[in-house]
C-alpha cells in the first residue's frame, strides 16, 4: 500500500445534532489518536475522553481507533464522536490540521477504500447512491449493490467470457483438419448462454437505474386532450395551466411528481402539430428530443381521435414503454378500466373527476419496476447500463464473426472488448479521469 497523506473531515451533515462525527484516515491517524487521548488507544474500543487544543478543552466524547487494514478505507482510521455543534466540530478539525491531517475532498474516504481494494467501483458508487436514495426501494437496491450483488454478477459473466475466449484461442492455435472446433455445437451453446446472461444483467441494471434515477415520462397528445389536467391531478398542484384554448401549453413544462418516492418527470408538450407557427414547431422539436430520452411515452387521447393519436405514438423510440390514457370518461361515458393490448397498456379514466387515476398510478409504479417483486434489484447507473449495452453489442459481433465468417481471431478480439466493458463497471481498468468524476459526486466526509 502506498503512503498517502492523512485526511480529516466532519462525517455528519452540517447543522446542529445530538452527535457530530469527525473522521480521520491515514498514516498519522494513530499518532493523532495518541495525542488526543494521552495514551495509545485500544483497537476498536470506545474510549471516553476530553479533546483539547492549545487553548484548552474543545469537548468530550468518544474516540474509536481502527487499525489498517481492518477499517472502512483500509488505512488507520480514527473516529471522534462529539456533540453535534458546528463550531465545536470545526474547532476540532482545525486542531487535527495542526496535528497533521489535511481536509478531505468529497468522496476521498470512499476513494481510498476503492484504491485499497475494500470496495470495487460499482460498490463505491453504491455508497453514494445509498446516501442519496430517495425511496425505501432505492435504498434497498443500493444496499444490495454495496453488498456486491451487482459486482458478483458482472464477475460471473466476465469469467464465462474469459473461458469462451480461451477456448476459441486454443482452437485457433491448434487447427485440426478433421474437426472444426470453431463450429462445435458446445461453443455455440456457450455463446448463446453468454448472450442470455448479458441480456438478463442488462435488464436488471436498467431496472436498477430506473430505481435510482426515477422514471422519465413524456406526456403526448393533441391540444385539449387533457394532458395538463392529468399532470395536475398526478402532481396535485396547479403548476400546469389548464385552459380551453387549443395549443396554449406551448412550452415544454416540466414537473417532477413524487410517486411513493419515485421521481417521475412529466413533460407536457405543445399540441402535436407539425404545421402551426414557429413556436409550435419548436415545441414539437423539443417534444421529439424528450421522447428520445424517455423511459415511458404516455399518450392522452380524448377517445374521439384515437386512431390518429395512436399514430403519433409511432414517433416514440422503440425502447420507450407505452401507456395510452383514454381521458374524459365522465363525458364519453364508461367505467375506469385497464387493458393490455400488445406492448401497450390502455387506461380509461377522468383527469377531472379522478376516476381511474389510482390505476394509472399503479401502471406508472409497475413501469418504474416498483410494483414488481424487487427482491433481487440492485442499484445501477447510466454508466453501468452503457457498459452492459456495449458488452452485449460486442458479444453479438463475436457470434457474427464466428457463424458468418468462421473468423476465430475476430471473435476472440470481440470477446476481449466485452471483457473490457465489463471491467469498466467494477473498475478493473478505470482511468483517473473517470475515478475523479465518480468520487467528486460524493459528499465531504464520505
Ligand atoms: P391539454 O391541452 O391536453 O393540456 O388539455 P387541458 O388539460 O388543458 O384540458 C383541456 C380542457 O379539457 C380543459 O377545459 C379541461 O378542464 C378539460 N378536461 C381535462 N380533462 C378532463 C376530464 O377528464 N373530463 C372533463 N369533463 N374535462 C376535462
Ligand atoms: Zn395543456
Amino acid at each position: 500500500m502506498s503512503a498517502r497523506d492523512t485526511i480529516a473531515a466532519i462525517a455528519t451533515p452540517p447543522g446542529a445534532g445530538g452527535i457530530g462525527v469527525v473522521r480521520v484516515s491515514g498514516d498519522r491517524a494513530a499518532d493523532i489518536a495518541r495525542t488526543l487521548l494521552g495514551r495509545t488507544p485500544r483497537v476498536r474500543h470506545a474510549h471516553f475522553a476530553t479533546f483539547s487544543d492549545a487553548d484548552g478543552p474543545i469537548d468530550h466524547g468518544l474516540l474509536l481507533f481502527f487499525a489498517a487494514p481492518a477499517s472502512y478505507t483500509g488505512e488507520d482510521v480514527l473516529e471522534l464522536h462529539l456533540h453535534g455543534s458546528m463550531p465545536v466540530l470545526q474547532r476540532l478539525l482545525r486542531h487535527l490540521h495542526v496535528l497533521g491531517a489535511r481536509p478531505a475532498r468529497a468522496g476521498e474516504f470512499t476513494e481510498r477504500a476503492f484504491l485499497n481494494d475494500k470496495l470495487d467501483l460499482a460498490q463505491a458508487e453504491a455508497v453514494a447512491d445509498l446516501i442519496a436514495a430517495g425511496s425505501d426501494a432505492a435504498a434497498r437496491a443500493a444496499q444490495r449493490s454495496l453488498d456486491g450483488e451487482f459486482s458478483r454478477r458482472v464477475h460471473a459473466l466476465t469469467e464465462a467470457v474469459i473461458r469462451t475466449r480461451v477456448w476459441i484461442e486454443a482452437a485457433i492455435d491448434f487447427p485440426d483438419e478433421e474437426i472444426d472446433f470453431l463450429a462445435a455445437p458446445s461453443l455455440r451453446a456457450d455463446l448463446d448462454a453468454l448472450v442470455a446472461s448479458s441480456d438478463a444483467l442488462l435488464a436488471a441494471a436498467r431496472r436498477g437505474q430506473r430505481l435510482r434515477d426515477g422514471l422519465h415520462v413524456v406526456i403526448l397528445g393533441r391540444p385539449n386532450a387533457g394532458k395538463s389536467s392529468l399532470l395536475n391531478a398526478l402532481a396535485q398542484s396547479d403548476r400546469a395551466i389548464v385552459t380551453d384554448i387549443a395549443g396554449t401549453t406551448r412550452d415544454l413544462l416540466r414537473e417532477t411528481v413524487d410517486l411513493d418516492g419515485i421521481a417521475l418527470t412529466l413533460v407536457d408538450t405543445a399540441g402535436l402539430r407539425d404545421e402551426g407557427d414557429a413556436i409550435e414547431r419548436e415545441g414539437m422539436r423539443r417534444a421529439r428530443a424528450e421522447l428520445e430520452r424517455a423511459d415511458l411515452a404516455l399518450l392522452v387521447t380524448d377517445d374521439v381521435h384515437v386512431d390518429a393519436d395512436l399514430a403519433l405514438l409511432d414517433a416514440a423510440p422503440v425502447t420507450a414503454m407505452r401507456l395510452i390514457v383514454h381521458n374524459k370518461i365522465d363525458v364519453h361515458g364508461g367505467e375506469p378500466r385497464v387493458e393490455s393490448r400488445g406492448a401497450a397498456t390502455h387506461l380509461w379514466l377522468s383527469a377531472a373527476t379522478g376516476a381511474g387515476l389510482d390505476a394509472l398510478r399503479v401502471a406508472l409504479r409497475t413501469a418504474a419496476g416498483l410494483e414488481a417483486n424487487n427482491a433481487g434489484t440492485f442499484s445501477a447507473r447510466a454508466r453501468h447500463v452503457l457498459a452492459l449495452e456495449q458488452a452485449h453489442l460486442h458479444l453479438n459481433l463475436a457470434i457474427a464473426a464466428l457463424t458468418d465468417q468462421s473468423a476465430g481471431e475476430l471473435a476472440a478480439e470481440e470477446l476481449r472488448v466485452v471483457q473490457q466493458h465489463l471491467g469498466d463497471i467494477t473498475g478493473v481498468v478505470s482511468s483517473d479521469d473517470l475515478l475523479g468524476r465518480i468520487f467528486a459526486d460524493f459528499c465531504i466526509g464520505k
Side-chain angles (χ1 to χ4, degrees), residues 17-102:
I19 26 176
V21 175
V22 172
R23 185 144 64 166
V24 183
S25 180
D27 293 345
R28 299 194 61 92
D31 274 347
I32 293 173
R34 254 189 306 276
T35 305
L36 288 175
L37 193 62
R39 61 194 161 94
T40 303
R42 274 172 64 191
V43 170
R44 294 164 176 275
H45 181 86
H47 294 275
F48 183 73
T50 299
F51 308 120
S52 308
D53 60 14
D55 293 335
I58 302 171
D59 193 8
H60 55 258
L62 295 181
L63 179 152
L64 293 100
F65 180 71
F66 304 85
S71 71
Y72 180 67
T73 59
E75 304 172 333
D76 281 350
V77 168
L78 181 62
E79 264 186 32
L80 304 162
H81 299 207
L82 287 76
H83 292 100
S85 144
M86 287 315 278
V88 164
L89 295 172
Q90 272 153 2
R91 183 173 158 198
L92 179 67
L93 208 53
R94 284 195 300 276
H95 184 48
L96 291 172
H97 185 61
V98 171
L99 297 178
R102 69 160 170 84

Side-chain angles (χ1 to χ4, degrees), residues 227-228 241 248-249 268:
K227 299 181 298 295
S228 304
I241 316 138
T248 37
T249 327
D268 187 27

Side-chain angles (χ1 to χ4, degrees), residues 221-230 241-249 268-269 300 327-331 349-353:
R222 65 179 63 234
N224 275 331
K227 299 181 298 295
S228 304
S229 306
L230 195 65
I241 316 138
V242 182
T243 61
D244 284 329
I245 308 150
T248 37
T249 327
D268 187 27
T269 67
V300 183
N327 190 28
K328 309 193 186 183
I329 56 167
D330 57 312
V331 182
L349 54 78
S350 165
T353 68

